[in-house]
Amino acid sequence: MNDIGPLGWLTQKLDRLGQLDDVDRSRLAALTTRIEQVPRGRQIIREGQIPDQCCLLVDGYACRFKTTAEGDRQIVSFHLRGDILDIQHLLLSRADHSVQAITPATIAWMPKTELIKLAWERPELGKALWQDCLIDASIFREWVLNVGRRDAKSRIAHMLCEFAARCQAAGLGTAQAFDLPMTQEQIGDATGLTAVHVNRMLRILERDGAIARKGKEYQIRDWDLLRGIADFDPAYLHEAA
Amino acid sequence: MHVQLEPIRVETGSADEDGRLVIYKGKLVGILVRIAEPGVWKGYWSVEWIAGMLHHPPPFATTGEAADWFSDRFAQGGLK
C-alpha cells in the first residue's frame, strides 16, 4: 500500500485527464473499495466472467491477455499502479479477456454501480474515465502495429520506450531508469517473439549502447537512439505519459 | 521418420548460428538453431521458423526431440 491511499494514483491520473474539482476528488476518495493482496501470477479476471466490480491496480504490475484454443497466449497490455484493469466492465457485462498479476500486487475492487453513478453525476469525472478508456484503445492500436509490422528489435525497443514513459507518469522511476518487472517469456508473449529471441534483442540493444540492465533494473542510456530504433512517437499515449 | 536435418549457419544477430534446416518428406518446414548465448537454454535447440505457423514451442534439448515434434506436427496435416 502506498501513502496516498488506494485511490490516490487513480485520482492523480484522472486529474491529469480532466479538470476535477474538490467535490470530484472527495467523491472519488469516498468510493467503496475492497483491498486484496494478490500473489504473482494470480489471474484476477477470467475471460467469460461477468464481473460486478471494477478492479483498480493500487500497487504492483499486471497484464491483460487472450489465449488461442491451443493455449497460446497474447499479452495485449501491461499495467501500472493507478490503472483500472477492466474499465470496460462499467458498461460491458462479460469479460472478453483475462487479467493477471505479473508481480505481487495490491488491487482495490470497486462496485460497478457506484462508479457508474459517479461518472453520470460528475461530468468531469465521467469524461476523464472515458478519456482513460480511449487512451487504452489508442495503446492497443499501437500494439497491433508493433506486433504486426515492426521487426523484432524495434518491437522490444518500442515496448521499453512505452513502459519507461508510463513508469515516469505513474511516479515509478524516471524515463531513464526503471524496473522492468516482466519475464522474457512475458515480453515474448507481448511482442509475438520467442523468449530466446527477446533475450537476443535485449543483448543487441545493450551492445548498441541504447540500454543498460542489471537484473530487473533498466537504464535507457541513449533515448534518441532507442526511440529511433523503436519508431516511438509518444503522441499515441496522449495524457498517459 | 520422415524428417531430415541439414546443417546451415543462421544469422540471428547473436552467437546462436549453428542451425539445421528441418525437411519433412522432402520439403523445408522449419529452422532450428543451437543456443550458444549464456543462459538457462544454452545448448538447447530453438525453433526459429516453422512453415506457416506462429506457434513456437519451447527450445528442445536435442535435435531428435525437435525432429519428433516436427514429425508429429506435420503428420497431423501440416500447415494450419
Side-chain angles (χ1 to χ4, degrees):
Chain A
M1 189 75 54
N2 52 63
D3 53 7
I4 65 168
L7 291 159
W9 294 108
L10 174 65
T11 308
Q12 203 171 87
K13 185 162 82 168
L14 296 180
D15 243 334
R16 234 180 15 243
L17 296 173
Q19 294 178 326
L20 308 190
D21 61 20
D22 288 344
V23 179
D24 293 322
R25 288 187 203 98
S26 59
R27 288 283 306 270
L28 255 181
L31 277 171
T32 308
T33 54
R34 181 172 60 82
I35 303 295
E36 189 184 351
Q37 308 291 338
V38 295
R40 179 195 311 274
R42 164 76 61 82
Q43 227 168 297
I44 301 168
I45 296 157
R46 284 174 197 277
E47 188 171 349
Q49 210 180 318
I50 301 187
D52 57 1
Q53 302 177 88
C54 254
C55 176
L56 169 69
L57 185 59
V58 178
D59 203 15
Y61 299 88
C63 69
R64 300 188 195 187
F65 69 95
K66 288 179 79 88
T67 47
T68 65
E70 287 194 328
D72 286 329
R73 175 162 102 139
Q74 178 68 44
I75 291 178
V76 296
S77 58
F78 288 120
H79 292 279
L80 322 167
R81 69 184 181 192
D83 287 349
I84 299 180
L85 299 173
D86 60 344
I87 193 166
Q88 73 281 356
H89 292 147
L90 287 185
L91 298 172
L92 302 176
S93 58
R94 182 179 291 271
D96 54 41
H97 61 272
S98 302
V99 177
Q100 183 184 33
I102 58 173
T103 62
T106 306
I107 53 176
W109 293 101
M110 303 175 288
K112 236 166 98 163
T113 46
E114 244 184 74
L115 208 49
I116 292 170
K117 188 164 178 277
L118 187 55
W120 267 216
E121 287 175 0
R122 304 296 305 171
E124 273 303 318
L125 259 179
K127 196 178 111 194
L129 286 168
W130 189 3
Q131 270 179 289
D132 191 38
C133 238
L134 293 172
I135 292 171
D136 258 4
S138 173
I139 295 174
F140 289 138
R141 286 190 287 276
E142 186 69 28
W143 275 47
V144 172
L145 178 65
N146 204 40
V147 172
R149 284 293 175 259
R150 292 197 177 103
D151 63 27
K153 189 172 157 189
S154 299
R155 287 185 208 182
I156 301 293
H158 196 279
M159 197 218 76
L160 290 174
C161 286
E162 180 187 297
F163 197 74
R166 290 176 62 203
C167 275
Q168 188 173 34
L172 293 161
T174 65
Q176 279 73 37
F178 55 93
D179 284 351
L180 195 74
M182 313 79 154
T183 63
Q184 292 187 356
E185 281 76 14
Q186 288 164 339
I187 298 173
D189 285 350
T191 53
L193 302 170
T194 61
V196 170
H197 210 58
V198 169
N199 187 33
R200 283 180 196 139
M201 295 304 107
L202 287 171
R203 281 174 189 278
I204 288 175
L205 290 171
E206 203 169 17
R207 189 197 63 198
D208 290 352
I211 62 167
R213 60 198 172 119
K214 191 177 168 195
K216 299 276 182 197
E217 292 169 29
Y218 276 64
Q219 271 181 36
I220 296 182
R221 301 188 69 177
D222 188 336
W223 247 108
D224 287 343
L225 177 63
L226 190 69
R227 195 167 49 211
I229 294 168
D231 175 31
F232 179 74
D233 175 354
Y236 75 94
L237 290 170
H238 301 273
E239 282 81 14
Chain B
M1 173 65 87
H2 297 291
V3 172
Q4 276 112 46
L5 301 173
E6 285 184 12
I8 182 101
R9 289 181 66 213
V10 180
E11 178 58 80
T12 63
S14 70
D16 310 340
E17 58 176 44
D18 174 20
R20 298 287 183 278
L21 297 175
V22 184
I23 296 161
Y24 180 78
K25 293 187 177 176
K27 292 178 184 171
L28 181 64
V29 293
I31 297 174
L32 296 170
V33 165
R34 189 166 185 275
I35 300 168
E37 294 281 356
V40 289
W41 295 115
K42 188 172 181 184
Y44 277 63
W45 291 85
S46 159
V47 177
E48 297 296 313
W49 174 77
I50 312 170
M53 292 180 202
L54 286 175
H55 171 86
H56 282 213
F60 295 100
T62 64
T63 52
E65 286 177 19
D68 287 346
W69 186 87
F70 272 97
S71 186
D72 288 348
R73 191 80 188 185
F74 282 86
Q76 288 167 17
L79 298 183
K80 286 186 180 175

